[in-house]
Amino acid sequence: MPGTNRQLDGALAALLARRESHGKLRRLTKPLAHCVDFSSNGYLSLSTNLEIQEQLLARLQARVAAGAADIDRAAGSRASILGSGGSRLLDGNSSFAEEIEARIAAFHRSETALLFTSAYDANTGLLGSVPQPGDVIVYDELIHASVHDGMRMSRAGRKIPFAHNSVSGSRPGAGAEAGDGRLGRQSENKNLEHVLGQLSGREGSEDVRSGKANVFVCVEGLYSMDGDVVHLQKVVDAVDRCLPSGNGYIIVDEAHSVGVFGDDGRGLVCKSGLEDRIWARVLGFGKAIGCSGGVVLCSSTVRSYLINYARSLIYTTSMPFTSLASIEVVYDYLVSGRSKPLREHLEELIHYTHCQLRAICARQRPGQLMIRVQEAPAVSPIIPVLTPYPRALAEHCQRSGFMVRPIVAPTVPAGSERIRVCVHSGNTIEQVDGLCKAIEAWVRQNHGAVERDERRDKSKGLGEVTKTHNVLSQDRPRL
Ligand SMILES: Cc1ncc(COP(=O)(O)O)c(C=O)c1O
């Protein structure tokens, strides 16, 4: 290896070592085969659905047979299955891709749809290309990294966060509905209405007031770490009130809410009947839909614009037949209404799991020392269990046969570390009971020792950082 490479490797290794010393080193892990899935984003368990798998296989076989027939007829080369052959703008387009887009648009009651190879690409393509210099992007402070990356690419003049899921009200800096039984946190950011009011007020921007500059408001339908749902009607009302010139454009990332909400899984925007009020939607196929890829739902003008300017569409190989076929068979399944019982079972599990977790909190009275679960009923399959010891709790659950993962800063704000319990249509009540039993056993085993540590630390006058981290040293912050 040339010397310069060794030098660079040395510098990178030092950065990794620093990250490890902060307890933040990321490593690839594999799902444990013996574990029940309480972790993945496949909320409807569609990727393991036998009927869908058989449909996909039949479609692939039909394609192979059709390709062979083409060759027999000397109609040219065999139809491709493995790769699309290029960018959508070159050899990677097909009637099949366009048909699927038309079906997806119709299903979600949108004028058009444009496929991307992932929802990450859809977000970066949309936000990276549409906002022009002088425009403003206002975004929920917990918005997904792909929206942040799109904003970085964007030429928008200003990008302003607002307090998480906090639209209006007298407490402009209170995030996540603090005080109503949810896991509220204090945010340094103002609520959406406050931010928009400042932008369009007398002290704000003349271009925004006059409607010359556009304001894009970015929210998620279902937030993947807190499991809370955006107050979409309130967002629409705030935009109407604060931007009466009509220059407010709402973008909803439905990566986690598609499949889960709305008739046949049409998503939150359709469930709320706000299709005409949302400027663009980004859907992901990698979560409840059980495939991979993403799509932007938008007007035909926006679609043409993205085809011309979205770099993540133009400069990448488009989806292969296998991906398109898997999306198609899942949409066939949704359109047929067969996913309805899955959503009904999911709803039952969400309610049951939340009640069981709250019951543990009540029985063990661990206060805020060991676990915290929001009081308000869970509204989605994502139920965060906050704990200062996410790694220890996750490891205990995994050893007990239940896959949950620790979520630590910077993925979530420091102080709100957690395990993220995700329930799926494929889970059973007995599995939920097993998981809750494991969590309760862990609380019982450890919370006496943590309380002892707490008392000792208090008597020694130790500060916030070291207290309570002695017993479960795996989660101890390393400074
Ligand atoms: C809210 C949100 N948007 C977009 C994405 C990106 O989705 P994809 O995995 O399709 O790139 C994710 C994935 O984690 C997400 O959680």
Side-chain angles (χ1 to χ4, degrees):
M1 193 191 285
T4 47
N5 280 0
R6 271 203 300 273
Q7 267 175 6
L8 178 56
D9 271 16
L12 298 179
L15 291 173
L16 288 171
R18 196 173 72 182
R19 180 164 254 219
E20 183 158 32
S21 74
H22 292 164
K24 290 179 178 168
L25 189 68
R26 293 177 164 131
R27 288 186 177 87
L28 297 177
T29 61
K30 297 188 195 80
L32 300 171
H34 69 278
C35 277
V36 178
D37 178 14
F38 280 105
S39 169
S40 82
N41 296 321
Y43 311 116
L44 295 179
S45 307
L46 293 184
S47 68
T48 53
N49 180 310
L50 192 57
E51 189 186 335
I52 290 177
Q53 287 178 352
E54 283 170 355
Q55 288 291 327
L56 177 60
L57 214 52
R59 206 133 317 174
L60 295 178
Q61 277 164 349
R63 172 84 164 184
V64 172
D70 278 353
I71 287 182
D72 288 347
R73 285 199 307 270
S77 57
R78 189 182 282 272
S80 141
I81 284 200
L82 301 182
S84 69
S87 156
R88 217 38 215 286
L89 275 93
L90 300 173
D91 300 296
N93 195 25
S94 63
S95 313
F96 189 35
E98 290 182 0
E99 277 160 30
I100 288 175
E101 285 175 335
R103 284 193 63 193
I104 289 172
F107 181 71
H108 295 285
R109 300 194 278 267
S110 167
E111 192 179 324
T112 64
L114 183 63
L115 289 166
F116 285 76
T117 50
S118 67
Y120 180 94
D121 280 353
N123 271 327
T124 56
L126 182 68
L127 284 148
S129 68
V130 172
Q132 305 292 317
D135 288 349
V136 184
I137 305 174
V138 177
Y139 61 94
D140 187 291
E141 64 188 356
L142 293 192
I143 202 87
H144 190 253
S146 52
V147 172
H148 281 277
D149 291 357
M151 289 195 286
R152 264 186 227 161
M153 293 175 184
S154 155
R155 292 173 299 156
R158 294 177 68 190
K159 296 135 193 175
I160 310 172
F162 65 92
H164 173 57
N165 223 349
S166 179
V167 179
S168 56
S170 55
R171 304 177 59 211
E177 310 221 341
D180 73 348
R182 291 193 48 78
L183 296 166
R185 72 169 70 77
Q186 282 305 116
S187 169
E188 288 176 3
N189 295 314
K190 308 288 187 212
N191 67 40
L192 175 63
E193 192 157 88
H194 192 98
V195 170
L196 294 179
Q198 278 192 330
L199 271 174
S200 59
R202 239 185 275 146
E203 308 283 291
S205 146
E206 172 51 32
D207 283 352
V208 168
R209 232 182 350 269
S210 67
K212 193 170 154 209
N214 302 308
V215 180
F216 295 91
V217 176
C218 299
V219 295
E220 289 182 29
L222 164 58
Y223 288 89
S224 60
M225 292 300 145
D226 284 14
D228 55 339
V229 174
V230 69
H231 310 288
L232 208 47
Q233 183 65 57
K234 284 194 194 171
V235 172
V236 169
D237 293 344
V239 169
D240 281 353
R241 250 192 320 273
C242 300
L243 301 167
S245 306
N247 52 335
Y249 299 93
I250 301 169
I251 300 174
V252 184
D253 179 333
E254 292 229 51
H256 289 270
S257 47
V258 66
V260 174
F261 298 127
D263 281 351
D264 296 323
R266 283 178 169 78
L268 187 76
V269 172
C270 286
K271 181 181 178 198
S272 316
L274 291 168
E275 299 90 327
D276 294 338
R277 305 305 317 280
I278 303 305
W279 176 76
R281 283 174 264 173
V282 171
L283 310 186
F285 302 132
K287 325 266 184 219
I289 302 298
C291 303
S292 75
V295 71
V296 176
L297 302 179
C298 55
S299 73
S300 56
T301 305
V302 174
R303 184 173 184 275
S304 298
Y305 183 88
L306 293 174
I307 289 170
N308 279 276
Y309 292 102
R311 298 172 70 82
S312 55
L313 179 94
I314 300 167
Y315 298 109
T316 193
T317 301
S318 63
M319 277 186 189
F321 180 85
T322 44
S323 295
L324 294 172
S326 58
I327 293 164
E328 192 191 35
V329 294
V330 170
Y331 269 84
D332 282 349
Y333 191 84
L334 296 179
V335 169
S336 74
R338 273 171 296 165
S339 65
K340 192 168 175 231
L342 303 183
R343 257 184 311 282
E344 286 167 356
H345 178 56
L346 187 60
E347 232 168 79
E348 190 192 335
L349 280 182
I350 292 167
H351 176 72
Y352 184 76
T353 309
H354 178 257
C355 289
Q356 296 308 305
L357 289 170
R358 286 292 307 167
I360 297 173
C361 295
R363 271 198 300 274
Q364 297 296 329
R365 293 196 189 288
Q368 301 198 352
L369 286 185
M370 299 300 288
I371 61 166
R372 261 195 316 146
V373 177
Q374 68 177 44
E375 263 172 56
V379 290
S380 81
I382 303 161
I383 308 177
V385 177
L386 268 67
T387 172
Y389 315 107
R391 291 190 182 88
L393 176 53
E395 199 183 304
H396 172 84
C397 292
Q398 290 173 18
R399 263 191 273 112
S400 311
F402 303 98
M403 178 50 92
V404 292
R405 288 180 193 277
I407 312 283
V408 300
T411 303
V412 290
S416 70
E417 287 80 5
R418 64 197 64 188
I419 59 164
R420 178 176 176 264
V421 172
C422 267
V423 291
H424 310 92
S425 304
N427 290 133
T428 62
I429 292 281
E430 292 71 33
Q431 290 171 346
V432 172
D433 285 341
L435 172 70
C436 291
K437 220 166 126 192
I439 292 176
E440 184 158 17
W442 178 84
V443 172
R444 236 191 348 257
Q445 280 160 24
N446 292 294
H447 101 266
V450 168
E451 274 177 355
R452 264 198 315 281
D453 271 1
E454 173 94 333
R455 276 198 300 276
R456 197 201 56 208
D457 289 352
K458 262 191 196 147
S459 69
K460 283 186 185 165
L462 294 180
E464 282 297 310
V465 172
T466 50
K467 79 174 190 186
T468 76
H469 287 286
N470 304 333
V471 174
L472 300 151
S473 56
Q474 183 196 29
D475 280 303
R476 180 183 184 141
R478 273 161 283 183
L479 301 172

